[in-house]
Amino acid sequence: RMEEARAKGFKHVVFDDNYPPGHGDNTSGKKLCDPQLWSFLGKDDQYSYQDDFGHVERPLSSSEYLEYVERFRNAVSIYSEFPPIWDGPSRFFENGIARQVALPPLFSRKELTNDLGLDENSMASNSFDEESRRYTYINYARLAD
């Protein structure tokens, strides 16, 4: 998608479906910008190309994957992920791992409960946890000239 946007003259893009390795329905920036993430998540040699909301999917050899990494690096001059707004459960990983593959949240649960007067029960009943599970490593990319 970054190459397509670049070919159409876009300079700035934001994606809300920046899935980590082993998840999602596209070949996201998160899957390409840090090849070591695959090893960290135990997904070595499970590289895949995904497109069209999961309708196109095929395994990639290590060399094919590295070609996609190189294409990504040539297409993007700046890549940055936005942190989750608050600390909550992840739909992809147990929290220990989730916190290692994302930036720290802007607000802790303690800040939310103290500053907003919420308790753990009201956070669960007010969909804070449900909304937290929807976070997909939103990212910004400045496309190369």
Side-chain angles (χ1 to χ4, degrees):
R1 293 184 299 174
M2 299 213 190
E3 289 175 327
E4 292 167 352
R6 188 174 169 210
K8 299 275 187 196
F10 286 87
K11 297 290 181 195
H12 307 274
V13 292
V14 174
F15 294 106
D16 69 345
D17 57 352
N18 191 33
Y19 294 101
H23 299 279
D25 58 9
N26 64 59
T27 304
S28 66
K30 190 163 193 72
K31 293 175 183 174
L32 296 173
C33 74
D34 185 5
Q36 290 79 26
L37 185 58
W38 291 79
S39 297
F40 174 75
L41 296 174
K43 303 290 182 185
D44 282 342
D45 300 324
Q46 296 178 29
Y47 306 119
S48 66
Y49 173 84
Q50 297 168 292
D51 198 4
D52 196 21
F53 301 101
H55 292 106
V56 175
E57 186 169 356
R58 64 180 176 82
L60 294 174
S61 68
S62 294
S63 62
E64 288 174 310
Y65 169 73
L66 292 175
E67 287 176 28
Y68 278 99
V69 169
E70 187 64 27
R71 286 172 55 185
F72 174 82
R73 290 179 177 167
N74 288 331
V76 175
S77 62
I78 297 172
Y79 173 86
S80 184
E81 290 182 11
F82 293 89
I85 296 174
W86 61 82
D87 191 16
S90 166
R91 69 175 169 178
F92 303 115
F93 312 109
E94 293 185 27
N95 280 341
I97 293 174
R99 288 186 181 95
Q100 294 178 52
V101 298
L103 294 169
L106 297 176
F107 300 101
S108 69
R109 287 183 88 82
K110 186 174 182 177
E111 288 172 310
L112 289 175
T113 55
N114 289 346
D115 296 346
L116 297 179
L118 299 172
D119 60 27
E120 286 295 324
N121 291 330
S122 44
M123 287 189 70
S125 65
N126 285 323
S127 302
F128 279 87
D129 285 353
E130 180 182 332
E131 189 64 30
S132 177
R133 286 184 184 93
R134 293 182 181 156
Y135 174 72
T136 53
Y137 308 95
I138 299 165
N139 73 84
Y140 160 80
R142 166 79 164 86
L143 303 179
D145 294 326

